Amino acid sequence: MVEDVVRTLGFLCMGSRLRRIGERLQADTQQVIDEAGLSIQAGQYPFLAAIDRAGPLTIGELAQAVGITQPGATRTTGQLLELGYVDMQPAPDDQRRRLVSLTDKGQELVDHSKKVIWPRIAAAVADLCGDFDGPILEQLAAIEDGLAVAPLARRSPVKEEG
Amino acid sequence: MVEDVVRTLGFLCMGSRLRRIGERLQADTQQVIDEAGLSIQAGQYPFLAAIDRAGPLTIGELAQAVGITQPGATRTTGQLLELGYVDMQPAPDDQRRRLVSLTDKGQELVDHSKKVIWPRIAAAVADLCGDFDGPILEQLAAIEDGLAVAPLARRSPVKEEG
DNA sequence: ATTTAATTCATAACATGTTATATAACATCC
DNA sequence: GGATGTTATATAACATGTTATGAATTAAAT
């Protein structure tokens, strides 16, 4: 059995490790979704949830809401259009913006998911994470806030001045 | 300003969120590496570190060590070969296995990184994460162990039996 | 008012993960 | 000891993130 270096190296490989765990969690989440017979990707859910919460959003707002870049939001929105879960139309006051809204089918999926799938996923993840003393969600929030305040490159830099 | 749904939804979007933070951390790490004038990708470091710690490893062992699948290990090893940091030769006893070892150039990079870059990155990440009460590395270990014991789909499932 | 700059989304090219599958080498079993 | 299965790696196809850049529309400026 080979040593898990990412784990061994601790803070040094924190980025790789978070990504790795995130990918694993999302794959597991996908399994729950698939077992429920829903045809949607785990990564597409936050888009629907964002529109459900805030009403129709533009591509740029969706990107912000789910925390990815605009081209990623464009692509996923295109997929959701194909699937018939969202509709898109130019904003009346600004032809550059595209307002993305839920279709009836999309709203139904969201409503059903809120009742059946999302609580189950949240409970399973809480079961996985929540039993430890430190409240991990708050820690993640603090990390995100910390990164916004100062990126790694500005933290504990090598002393360059005398 | 648009609400950050991934953050708002908490445990439900834990996978997306960990991935997102991991990507951000790795991008930041890359910046530190670039500023130090080293020509290597952040994601390639764990491979070199694994060989440095354990001695020559096969492709499969590397995949295990860094926690990705074998095709990913094959690709990254190919890149490290191109860069001249590793060398590859068939295992003497089993021609299917390829033993990947550090070249002199690779060993120099590792030695230099251990002195100059890695401590800096680890310190910066610790600065970012370490100040909160819960020891996040232990929590991540517990999450990984928990996933190995039972995937999400087997946690808090919908009651199907009576 | 026409030119210039800024904004919004789309698209291309790339990075790096995945799954599925092919190929070569080793192991096993009558 | 040759057929059959298993294992290790490579490769193809895909998923989903990124950066860089182009096209259309709006805003600003002289």
Side-chain angles (χ1 to χ4, degrees), chain A residues 9-14 150-161, chain B residues 25 27-38 45 110-129:
Chain A
L9 294 180
F11 284 130
L12 180 57
C13 291
M14 185 91 168
L152 283 195
R154 304 279 88 72
R155 288 167 184 270
S156 327
V158 179
K159 282 83 184 168
E160 281 165 351
E161 350 77 79
Chain B
L25 265 186
D28 272 32
T29 301
Q30 190 63 54
Q31 198 187 336
V32 175
I33 295 168
D34 292 345
E35 283 179 8
L38 298 182
Y45 257 140
V110 169
D111 291 342
H112 181 254
S113 300
K114 274 201 270 196
K115 263 186 298 207
V116 176
I117 302 297
W118 293 354
R120 181 172 164 189
I121 294 170
V125 177
D127 178 57
L128 179 70
C129 306

Side-chain angles (χ1 to χ4, degrees), chain A residues 3 20 53 134 139 144, chain B residues 3 20 53 127 134 139 144:
Chain A
E3 173 193 59
R20 185 170 89 175
R53 293 180 62 85
Q139 289 181 308
E144 288 177 314
Chain B
E3 174 193 58
R20 185 171 89 173
R53 292 180 62 85
D127 178 57
Q139 289 181 306
E144 288 177 314

Side-chain angles (χ1 to χ4, degrees), chain B:
Chain B
M1 192 54 182
V2 182
E3 174 193 58
D4 180 342
V5 272
V6 170
R7 189 163 178 163
T8 302
L9 294 180
F11 284 130
L12 181 56
C13 292
M14 184 91 165
S16 294
R17 194 158 176 205
L18 289 175
R19 260 180 66 165
R20 185 171 89 173
I21 302 175
E23 274 160 16
R24 171 69 197 276
L25 265 186
Q26 215 159 3
D28 272 32
T29 301
Q30 190 63 54
Q31 198 187 336
V32 175
I33 295 168
D34 292 345
E35 283 179 8
L38 298 182
S39 30
I40 187 156
Q41 297 304 114
Q44 297 170 340
Y45 257 140
F47 286 76
L48 301 184
I51 303 173
D52 178 57
R53 292 180 62 85
L57 293 173
T58 66
I59 295 282
E61 288 168 334
L62 275 172
Q64 261 193 276
V66 307
I68 63 172
T69 56
Q70 170 262 308
T74 295
R75 182 188 299 168
T76 300
T77 301
Q79 295 166 345
L80 291 171
L81 260 172
E82 286 280 317
L83 290 165
Y85 292 134
V86 302
D87 204 17
M88 204 158 97
Q89 55 189 50
D93 56 320
D94 185 341
Q95 298 290 314
R96 292 171 302 180
R97 301 188 181 190
R98 307 297 186 80
L99 273 174
V100 184
S101 51
L102 291 177
T103 60
D104 289 349
K105 185 180 169 187
Q107 189 64 58
E108 274 166 31
L109 175 63
V110 169
D111 291 342
H112 181 254
S113 300
K114 274 201 270 196
K115 263 186 298 207
V116 176
I117 302 297
W118 293 354
R120 181 172 164 189
I121 294 170
V125 177
D127 178 57
L128 179 70
C129 306
D131 294 348
F132 317 123
D133 48 355
I136 193 161
L137 287 177
E138 288 169 29
Q139 289 181 306
L140 293 180
I143 289 172
E144 288 177 314
D145 292 342
L147 281 173
V149 169
L152 284 194
R154 306 275 90 72
R155 289 168 183 270
S156 327
V158 178
K159 283 84 187 165
E160 281 164 353
E161 352 77 81

Side-chain angles (χ1 to χ4, degrees), chain A:
Chain A
M1 192 55 182
V2 182
E3 173 193 59
D4 180 341
V5 271
V6 169
R7 190 164 179 162
T8 302
L9 294 180
F11 284 130
L12 180 57
C13 291
M14 185 91 168
S16 292
R17 193 157 177 206
L18 289 174
R19 262 180 63 165
R20 185 170 89 175
I21 301 174
E23 273 158 16
R24 172 70 198 276
L25 265 186
Q26 215 158 2
D28 272 30
T29 301
Q30 190 63 53
Q31 198 187 335
V32 175
I33 294 168
D34 292 345
E35 283 178 8
L38 299 182
S39 31
I40 186 155
Q41 297 302 116
Q44 297 169 342
Y45 257 140
F47 286 77
L48 301 183
I51 303 173
D52 178 56
R53 293 180 62 85
L57 294 172
T58 66
I59 296 282
E61 288 168 335
L62 276 172
Q64 260 193 278
V66 307
I68 63 170
T69 56
Q70 170 261 310
T74 296
R75 182 189 299 166
T76 300
T77 301
Q79 295 167 346
L80 292 170
L81 260 171
E82 287 279 316
L83 290 166
Y85 292 133
V86 303
D87 204 18
M88 204 158 97
Q89 54 188 50
D93 56 319
D94 186 340
Q95 299 290 313
R96 291 170 303 180
R97 302 187 180 190
R98 306 297 186 81
L99 273 173
V100 184
S101 51
L102 291 176
T103 59
D104 289 351
K105 184 180 171 190
Q107 188 66 58
E108 274 166 31
L109 175 62
V110 169
D111 291 342
H112 181 254
S113 301
K114 274 201 270 198
K115 264 186 296 208
V116 176
I117 301 297
W118 293 354
R120 179 171 166 192
I121 294 170
V125 177
D127 178 56
L128 180 68
C129 306
D131 293 349
F132 317 124
D133 47 357
I136 193 162
L137 287 178
E138 289 169 29
Q139 289 181 308
L140 293 180
I143 290 172
E144 288 177 314
D145 293 342
L147 281 173
V149 170
L152 283 195
R154 304 279 88 72
R155 288 167 184 270
S156 327
V158 179
K159 282 83 184 168
E160 281 165 351
E161 350 77 79

